[in-house]
mmCIF file of all heavy atoms in Angstrom:
data_model
loop_
_atom_site.group_PDB
_atom_site.id
_atom_site.type_symbol
_atom_site.label_atom_id
_atom_site.label_comp_id
_atom_site.label_asym_id
_atom_site.label_seq_id
_atom_site.Cartn_x
_atom_site.Cartn_y
_atom_site.Cartn_z
ATOM 1 N N LEU A 60 115.224 -138.200 -12.068
ATOM 2 C CA LEU A 60 114.712 -136.902 -11.643
ATOM 3 C C LEU A 60 113.662 -136.398 -12.577
ATOM 4 O O LEU A 60 113.191 -135.209 -12.428
ATOM 5 C CB LEU A 60 115.857 -135.951 -11.562
ATOM 6 C CG LEU A 60 116.944 -136.200 -10.450
ATOM 7 C CD1 LEU A 60 118.123 -135.296 -10.449
ATOM 8 C CD2 LEU A 60 116.278 -136.251 -9.100
ATOM 9 N N GLY A 61 113.234 -137.124 -13.616
ATOM 10 C CA GLY A 61 112.218 -136.731 -14.502
ATOM 11 C C GLY A 61 112.618 -135.688 -15.507
ATOM 12 O O GLY A 61 111.780 -135.012 -16.100
ATOM 13 N N LYS A 62 113.969 -135.581 -15.690
ATOM 14 C CA LYS A 62 114.514 -134.515 -16.657
ATOM 15 C C LYS A 62 114.476 -135.077 -18.077
ATOM 16 O O LYS A 62 114.592 -134.286 -19.046
ATOM 17 C CB LYS A 62 115.909 -134.072 -16.289
ATOM 18 C CG LYS A 62 115.955 -133.496 -14.817
ATOM 19 C CD LYS A 62 115.127 -132.148 -14.774
ATOM 20 C CE LYS A 62 115.791 -131.013 -15.402
ATOM 21 N NZ LYS A 62 115.092 -129.789 -15.351
ATOM 22 N N ILE A 63 114.443 -136.398 -18.255
ATOM 23 C CA ILE A 63 114.351 -137.023 -19.661
ATOM 24 C C ILE A 63 113.325 -138.138 -19.480
ATOM 25 O O ILE A 63 113.117 -138.702 -18.513
ATOM 26 C CB ILE A 63 115.726 -137.457 -20.106
ATOM 27 C CG1 ILE A 63 116.241 -138.617 -19.229
ATOM 28 C CG2 ILE A 63 116.660 -136.397 -20.360
ATOM 29 C CD1 ILE A 63 117.525 -139.265 -19.770
ATOM 30 N N THR A 64 112.728 -138.398 -20.597
ATOM 31 C CA THR A 64 111.741 -139.522 -20.722
ATOM 32 C C THR A 64 112.434 -140.850 -20.959
ATOM 33 O O THR A 64 113.581 -140.869 -21.293
ATOM 34 C CB THR A 64 110.726 -139.201 -21.886
ATOM 35 O OG1 THR A 64 111.553 -139.226 -23.106
ATOM 36 C CG2 THR A 64 110.054 -137.814 -21.792
ATOM 37 N N ASP A 65 111.676 -141.885 -20.963
ATOM 38 C CA ASP A 65 112.113 -143.216 -21.202
ATOM 39 C C ASP A 65 112.702 -143.222 -22.708
ATOM 40 O O ASP A 65 113.729 -143.774 -22.883
ATOM 41 C CB ASP A 65 111.040 -144.237 -21.205
ATOM 42 C CG ASP A 65 110.725 -144.674 -19.766
ATOM 43 O OD1 ASP A 65 111.532 -144.539 -18.840
ATOM 44 O OD2 ASP A 65 109.588 -145.199 -19.539
ATOM 45 N N ARG A 66 111.971 -142.570 -23.553
ATOM 46 C CA ARG A 66 112.414 -142.528 -24.919
ATOM 47 C C ARG A 66 113.703 -141.762 -25.098
ATOM 48 O O ARG A 66 114.619 -142.259 -25.826
ATOM 49 C CB ARG A 66 111.271 -141.862 -25.781
ATOM 50 C CG ARG A 66 111.582 -141.871 -27.265
ATOM 51 C CD ARG A 66 110.366 -141.294 -28.014
ATOM 52 N NE ARG A 66 110.754 -141.250 -29.381
ATOM 53 C CZ ARG A 66 109.987 -140.628 -30.315
ATOM 54 N NH1 ARG A 66 108.765 -140.194 -29.931
ATOM 55 N NH2 ARG A 66 110.325 -140.630 -31.543
ATOM 56 N N GLN A 67 113.894 -140.680 -24.413
ATOM 57 C CA GLN A 67 115.108 -139.966 -24.496
ATOM 58 C C GLN A 67 116.260 -140.742 -23.873
ATOM 59 O O GLN A 67 117.379 -140.747 -24.461
ATOM 60 C CB GLN A 67 114.994 -138.553 -23.781
ATOM 61 C CG GLN A 67 114.117 -137.615 -24.485
ATOM 62 C CD GLN A 67 113.747 -136.371 -23.553
ATOM 63 O OE1 GLN A 67 113.341 -136.568 -22.436
ATOM 64 N NE2 GLN A 67 114.002 -135.161 -24.107
ATOM 65 N N ARG A 68 115.972 -141.453 -22.759
ATOM 66 C CA ARG A 68 117.054 -142.306 -22.120
ATOM 67 C C ARG A 68 117.516 -143.334 -23.105
ATOM 68 O O ARG A 68 118.736 -143.566 -23.319
ATOM 69 C CB ARG A 68 116.440 -142.899 -20.830
ATOM 70 C CG ARG A 68 117.445 -143.845 -20.167
ATOM 71 C CD ARG A 68 116.844 -144.427 -18.863
ATOM 72 N NE ARG A 68 115.624 -145.034 -19.072
ATOM 73 C CZ ARG A 68 115.426 -146.349 -19.353
ATOM 74 N NH1 ARG A 68 116.489 -147.158 -19.450
ATOM 75 N NH2 ARG A 68 114.202 -146.930 -19.519
ATOM 76 N N LYS A 69 116.511 -144.060 -23.717
ATOM 77 C CA LYS A 69 116.922 -145.043 -24.642
ATOM 78 C C LYS A 69 117.661 -144.476 -25.853
ATOM 79 O O LYS A 69 118.638 -145.108 -26.404
ATOM 80 C CB LYS A 69 115.693 -145.830 -25.220
ATOM 81 C CG LYS A 69 115.066 -146.684 -24.155
ATOM 82 C CD LYS A 69 113.719 -147.271 -24.611
ATOM 83 C CE LYS A 69 113.028 -148.067 -23.496
ATOM 84 N NZ LYS A 69 111.709 -148.519 -23.868
ATOM 85 N N SER A 70 117.315 -143.280 -26.337
ATOM 86 C CA SER A 70 117.964 -142.679 -27.492
ATOM 87 C C SER A 70 119.392 -142.327 -27.062
ATOM 88 O O SER A 70 120.291 -142.535 -27.907
ATOM 89 C CB SER A 70 117.233 -141.384 -27.855
ATOM 90 O OG SER A 70 117.902 -140.714 -28.795
ATOM 91 N N LEU A 71 119.609 -141.757 -25.913
ATOM 92 C CA LEU A 71 120.920 -141.415 -25.451
ATOM 93 C C LEU A 71 121.787 -142.617 -25.305
ATOM 94 O O LEU A 71 123.021 -142.629 -25.723
ATOM 95 C CB LEU A 71 120.918 -140.605 -24.176
ATOM 96 C CG LEU A 71 120.394 -139.199 -24.266
ATOM 97 C CD1 LEU A 71 120.113 -138.631 -22.913
ATOM 98 C CD2 LEU A 71 121.425 -138.352 -24.945
ATOM 99 N N PHE A 72 121.255 -143.709 -24.753
ATOM 100 C CA PHE A 72 122.034 -144.974 -24.705
ATOM 101 C C PHE A 72 122.336 -145.560 -26.082
ATOM 102 O O PHE A 72 123.451 -146.001 -26.323
ATOM 103 C CB PHE A 72 121.322 -146.043 -23.809
ATOM 104 C CG PHE A 72 121.454 -145.819 -22.340
ATOM 105 C CD1 PHE A 72 120.418 -145.884 -21.529
ATOM 106 C CD2 PHE A 72 122.733 -145.654 -21.755
ATOM 107 C CE1 PHE A 72 120.561 -145.742 -20.080
ATOM 108 C CE2 PHE A 72 122.906 -145.510 -20.400
ATOM 109 C CZ PHE A 72 121.800 -145.521 -19.602
#
Side-chain angles (χ1 to χ4, degrees):
L60 296 174
K62 299 298 283 185
I63 60 174
T64 64
D65 283 337
R66 185 175 176 185
Q67 290 170 309
R68 178 178 55 89
K69 289 176 186 174
S70 174
L71 286 165
F72 278 132

